[in-house]
Amino acid sequence: MRLPLPAIASDRRFLIMLALGFSAGVPLPLTAFVLRQWMSEANIPLTAIGLTALIGLSYSLKFLWAPLIDHAAPPFFRRWGRRRGWLASIQPVLALAILALGFTNPAVAPEITVAVAVLVAFLSASQDIVVDAYRIEFLEERQQGLGLAYYVWGYRGALLASNAGALTVAEFAGWTAAFAYCAALVGIGFVAVWRGPEPAAPPASALGWSARLRAAVADPFADFVRRPYWLWILLFIALFKLGEALAGVMTAPFYRDLGFSRTEVAAVSSVFGLFATLLGALAGGWLVVRIGTARALVLTGLTQMLSNLMYVALAHAGHDMPMLWAQVGVENFTDGLADAAFVTYLSSLTSRAFTATQYALLSSLAAVPLRTLGASSGSLAEWLGWADFFLLTTFAALPAMGVMLFLLARLPPARRHPPEESSALPASES
C-alpha cells in the first residue's frame, strides 16, 4: 500500500535530511564569498584574494579520502555507529574551526586566516562525504528523490543563513560574532545526528582494499576513457564554467570597491540572487524538455556567457542599486538556466554501469582547472581594471562554446522523453 505524499513528507527521516543539508551548506560561503568580503575590507590585494579560489580544492578532491571515511571506524562516538559516529566526530571540530576563523585577522596575518579556512573546507568536504553515504543508506529507494529535495532545500537555506546572515551579523556585531554565529549553526546538524538512527550497515565486502578502490575509482574512469572523444568531453566540462569561475572569485571585492555595503550585498547578491538562480534552474529544466538538450545547451551557454557583460555595465555605473539588482538577477538567472542544460547533457554522457560514480568522479576532476585558473582572477583584475577584466571573463567562455558545438555534432544527446510526454525534469544540485 502506497502512503500519500503528506504522510511520506512528515516522516522524521526527511527532517533529518533537511537538518543535515543545512549543516552541509553552512561552511561553503565562509571559505568563498564571505571570506573574500572580509579580506577586501582588510585591504588585501586582489591577487591574494584571487588565490583563495584554491581553498575550494578540498571539495573537488574529496574522492581521494572518501574510501578511508567509507571503510574506517570513526575516531570518536563509535557507539553511535559508523555513519553517525563519523558525522559526530567531524561536526564539533568543524564548528570549532569556523569559530577559530573568526578570531583570525586577515589584515594582520592573512596566511593564518587562509590556513584555518583550508581546514574548514577540508572538514566541510569530509562532512559531505558522510552525509551523502548516510542519505543513500538511511532512506528507502522510494524515498531517495524526496529525501534529496529536503537535503537541497536545507542546503539552500544554509547558504542564506551563512552568507546574507553572516554579512548582516558582521555589520552590527563584527566578524568574530559573525563566524561564531555560523559555528553555532553547525549544531543543527549535530542534533539531527544525535536524534537520528544509524542506518543498517551494508554487507561486508569480500574484496580487499585495493580491489574496492579499483572498483570505486579506477574502473569507472577506465570505462570513460574508452569512449570516443573523451578528452574533448573533459575539456568541455573544464571550460564550460571558466568565465563564471573567473568572475565569481572577484565578485566580493568588486562590490566592495564600488562602495556597496554589507547589508546591500547581503540583500541583493545573497537573498535575491539565490531566488533568481532557483527560478533560472526551473526555467532551464522546462527549456530542456521543450526544445531538447542540445539546443538548450547552446542557447543557455550563450546567455550565460553574455550575462557577464552586466558586470561591465555595473563597473561603468558605479554605486547604482538598480543596476546591482539587474546585474545579480541576470547573472544568477542565466547561471541557473545553463546549469540545468549542462547537468542534463553531462548525465547523458555517463555509462549506466557506473552512472553515479562516474558522474561524481569526473565532475570533481573537471572542477580542478576551475579552482586553479580561478586563482589567477585577482592578478588579472589588478592588471586590466574591472571593466576590461569582466569583458575578458565574457570572452573566456568562447572556447567552451566551440568545444560544445564540436561535441554536439558528434555525440548528440539522445532524447529519452519527447517534449509532449514530459513536463518537468528532476531538480539537480550543481
Side-chain angles (χ1 to χ4, degrees), residues 216-250:
V217 179
D219 289 350
F221 190 77
D223 173 81
F224 186 84
V225 299
R226 287 192 291 266
R227 299 191 57 154
Y229 307 110
W230 68 273
L231 272 175
W232 288 93
I233 293 172
L234 286 182
L235 185 63
F236 169 61
I237 297 169
L239 294 177
F240 188 71
K241 291 288 185 181
L242 179 58
E244 180 190 358
L246 290 170
V249 176
M250 285 291 103

Side-chain angles (χ1 to χ4, degrees), residues 5-6 37 67 102 109 111 116 124 144 163 215 229 244 250 270 285-286 288 292 305 319 325 358 378 420:
L5 184 60
Q37 175 74 21
E111 65 279 359
V116 179
S124 174
Q144 290 292 335
N163 197 332
Y229 307 110
E244 180 190 358
M250 285 291 103
S270 300
W286 176 85
V288 168
M305 179 183 75
H319 187 273
W325 283 89
Q358 209 170 71
E420 63 271 17

Side-chain angles (χ1 to χ4, degrees), residues 38-39 41-45 101 103-114:
W38 189 20
M39 296 181 78
E41 292 180 11
N43 296 317
I44 302 297
L101 185 59
F103 282 98
T104 65
N105 189 342
V108 176
E111 65 279 359
I112 296 178
T113 300
V114 170

Side-chain angles (χ1 to χ4, degrees), residues 66-82:
L68 175 64
I69 292 179
D70 194 29
H71 297 287
F76 310 107
F77 298 94
R78 293 188 179 183
R79 291 184 178 179
W80 288 18
R82 185 173 50 157

